[in-house]
Amino acid sequence: LVFLLAWTRFQCEEGKGWHLWLSTFALVWALASKEIAVIACPLAAVVACCYFWPLDRKAYVGLLLFGILTLAYLFLRTRILGGIGGPPRVHAELLGGLFSLRSMQFLAHGLLDGVAPVHRELVSKSWYPFLVLPLLALTCGIGQCARNGRLRRLARVGAPFLLLFLLAVLPLAGSRRLLADNQGSRLLYIPTAFSCAFFGATMALARGQRGKSLAISGLCSTLALATWLSGLVLENRNWHQAAILSHRILDEYPAREKDDRKAVFVTALPSNWNGAYVYNNGFPAAVRLFRSEESKVFVLPINAWEESRESGGNHLRWNSAKGWTHEPFKATRADEDPSDAK
């Protein structure tokens, strides 16, 4: 978003060279942080074409610079990971599923969750009001714009936001991420920014000077903001519970003798709490940093637990009720699914 704001400012008549450098720095930072940033260059092109057409020389220079940086990132990603989509197997699944029915379902969920950004597992059957209420508020706002004679202006102001929203959602078609929890909701950070911008533009144009028009726009805004705020509170609660669990696992990790250098094999670590990461990775580093343990720690999948006993070393299994135990793992127990702490 900083990249797009700086880029838009650079395109204005008062735009300075440092705005371009700021947008370039923001793009590099975004590419180094999250792979979804590859859509930044197409988004910049849409902003330039929608608001500053016909394009001048500095627009082409900026877009060329952004394109080179994005291509360089994709090249490095392919060299390091073995494919644009990641390791060869993941890359093949990504490209193979782009135009499948399953991918279209992901895309449809992305469009809906971009309007109602709350994961459904937290609200169960009551998820639908989180979708219906913002859509109802948006529909009332558009109707109020038509009544005020501002529908054409809304189309001119809001169309770029809708186009940016659709473009930002498109990568979800091949992501194969679950949008029903926090693991997938992070992919909606950028799309929801544009859906909120469109909603804000609609409510601003729907607002009248006084009376019923002002009351309707205010009610619609309150209705949508209340549902979005509730979803945000529920999602933050998930991350809070994940943080508590990650601290508990580390605090209860058994102390070792200083002269004990045997390797430690652990299993059944919860990777997430309703999608909020716990120890998806990084547990060995956490032990080394916060428990000052020098012995090697290996996190094993469930099916490798029994086989690892032949290699010697210490074996620990996490149990949500008992904490760390040395008991043999029983795969038939339903409460030991490490993919979800709940």
Side-chain angles (χ1 to χ4, degrees), residues 44-236:
V46 170
V47 170
C49 293
C50 288
Y51 294 109
F52 304 101
W53 187 264
L55 303 182
D56 56 12
R57 180 174 173 272
K58 66 179 184 180
Y60 288 112
V61 170
L63 291 175
L64 179 61
L65 175 61
F66 301 151
I68 292 174
L69 289 173
T70 304
L71 289 176
Y73 166 78
L74 293 176
F75 174 76
L76 291 174
R77 181 179 176 87
T78 302
R79 294 282 294 179
I80 296 173
L81 299 180
I84 294 178
R89 180 182 60 82
V90 179
H91 177 73
E93 291 180 356
L94 174 66
L95 296 183
L98 273 177
F99 302 101
S100 65
L101 178 61
R102 181 66 170 168
S103 295
M104 294 303 103
Q105 292 175 347
F106 276 115
L107 182 58
H109 286 167
L111 292 171
L112 293 178
D113 289 356
V115 179
V118 58
H119 47 84
R120 304 163 204 180
E121 287 186 0
L122 285 183
V123 290
S124 186
K125 296 180 181 179
S126 62
W127 174 79
Y128 293 100
F130 285 86
L131 172 64
V132 173
L133 293 180
L135 287 178
L136 178 62
L138 185 60
T139 302
C140 292
I142 294 175
Q144 194 64 30
C145 288
R147 183 179 179 183
N148 295 340
R150 299 173 179 172
L151 195 58
R152 182 173 298 180
R153 186 179 175 187
L154 174 62
R156 185 172 64 253
V157 174
F161 292 132
L162 285 180
L163 185 58
L164 290 169
F165 170 70
L166 293 173
L167 185 60
V169 169
L170 279 179
L172 298 181
S175 68
R176 294 179 176 269
R177 296 282 186 179
L178 289 176
L179 296 179
D181 58 31
N182 292 83
Q183 295 184 81
S185 62
R186 61 193 174 89
L187 299 176
L188 293 168
Y189 291 159
I190 297 178
T192 51
F194 300 125
S195 62
C196 289
F198 178 76
F199 182 84
T202 302
M203 292 301 108
L205 293 174
R207 185 186 61 186
Q209 296 296 326
R210 64 184 71 180
K212 184 184 295 186
S213 178
L214 183 61
I216 292 177
S217 61
L219 179 61
C220 291
S221 299
T222 302
L223 193 64
L225 291 175
T227 53
W228 289 339
L229 181 60
S230 300
L232 181 62
V233 170
L234 291 173
E235 188 159 341
N236 286 341

Side-chain angles (χ1 to χ4, degrees), residues 180-301:
D181 58 31
N182 292 83
Q183 295 184 81
S185 62
R186 61 193 174 89
L187 299 176
L188 293 168
Y189 291 159
I190 297 178
T192 51
F194 300 125
S195 62
C196 289
F198 178 76
F199 182 84
T202 302
M203 292 301 108
L205 293 174
R207 185 186 61 186
Q209 296 296 326
R210 64 184 71 180
K212 184 184 295 186
S213 178
L214 183 61
I216 292 177
S217 61
L219 179 61
C220 291
S221 299
T222 302
L223 193 64
L225 291 175
T227 53
W228 289 339
L229 181 60
S230 300
L232 181 62
V233 170
L234 291 173
E235 188 159 341
N236 286 341
R237 185 184 67 183
N238 236 25
W239 286 105
H240 179 67
Q241 292 297 328
I244 293 176
L245 180 59
S246 63
H247 278 286
R248 178 194 168 197
I249 292 173
L250 201 59
D251 292 341
E252 296 183 11
Y253 184 77
R256 305 282 308 284
E257 297 293 337
K258 291 185 178 181
D259 56 348
D260 189 354
R261 292 292 185 267
K262 292 183 180 179
V264 180
F265 299 92
V266 301
T267 193
L269 281 176
S271 63
N272 65 87
W273 179 286
N274 269 345
Y277 294 127
V278 179
Y279 282 114
N280 192 49
N281 52 43
F283 181 73
V287 173
R288 185 173 64 255
L289 290 172
F290 299 104
R291 295 299 302 270
S292 300
E293 292 281 353
E294 297 298 332
S295 57
K296 293 182 178 180
V297 178
F298 299 93
V299 179
L300 300 178

